[in-house]
Amino acid sequence: MTLRYQANALDLEEAGEEHRPKFIVGARLCYLGPSDENPPRGLEPGDIVTVAERNEGLQVFGVEGGHGIAVHGPRGGTDMVWWYEVEHVNTAPAPGV
């Protein structure tokens, strides 16, 4: 299986190796809450989000890509989160009893 990282994510390298998996397309993340005065509009702490294919965050300003991670939220729409505002959701199967 080939892993694909979010296209146009300007922070992918800055986030470092430890946080790189949070940029994998389709990864499920738990939003922990805002870290600054500009929180995502459609997310609440504890929401499970899915990493989007592309980061279009700065297209409005004519820049290719955007900062943070573009995610699809549980109420629809796409929001931006910082890699330190999310953690992976454990999707591994439970061990047999």
Side-chain angles (χ1 to χ4, degrees):
M1 181 173 131
T2 302
L3 298 177
R4 290 183 305 121
Y5 293 95
Q6 184 170 84
N8 298 336
L10 299 179
D11 290 341
L12 182 59
E13 295 303 320
E14 182 182 331
E17 199 63 36
E18 175 186 353
H19 299 285
R20 196 169 177 79
K22 295 177 182 178
F23 290 83
I24 295 173
V25 173
R28 293 183 52 208
L29 309 171
C30 179
Y31 176 62
L32 303 174
S35 64
D36 58 26
E37 67 283 345
N38 189 21
R41 293 183 191 162
L43 299 179
E44 297 290 331
D47 282 349
I48 303 301
V49 299
T50 305
V51 177
E53 294 265 341
R54 295 179 60 82
N55 189 320
E56 305 284 355
L58 296 174
Q59 290 293 344
V60 174
F61 301 106
V63 176
E64 184 69 22
H67 294 286
I69 305 170
V71 295
H72 300 297
R75 293 166 203 72
T78 302
D79 276 297
M80 302 298 291
V81 296
W82 297 112
W83 67 87
Y84 42 82
E85 294 178 331
V86 292
E87 63 183 19
H88 270 104
V89 173
N90 184 1
T91 57
V97 177

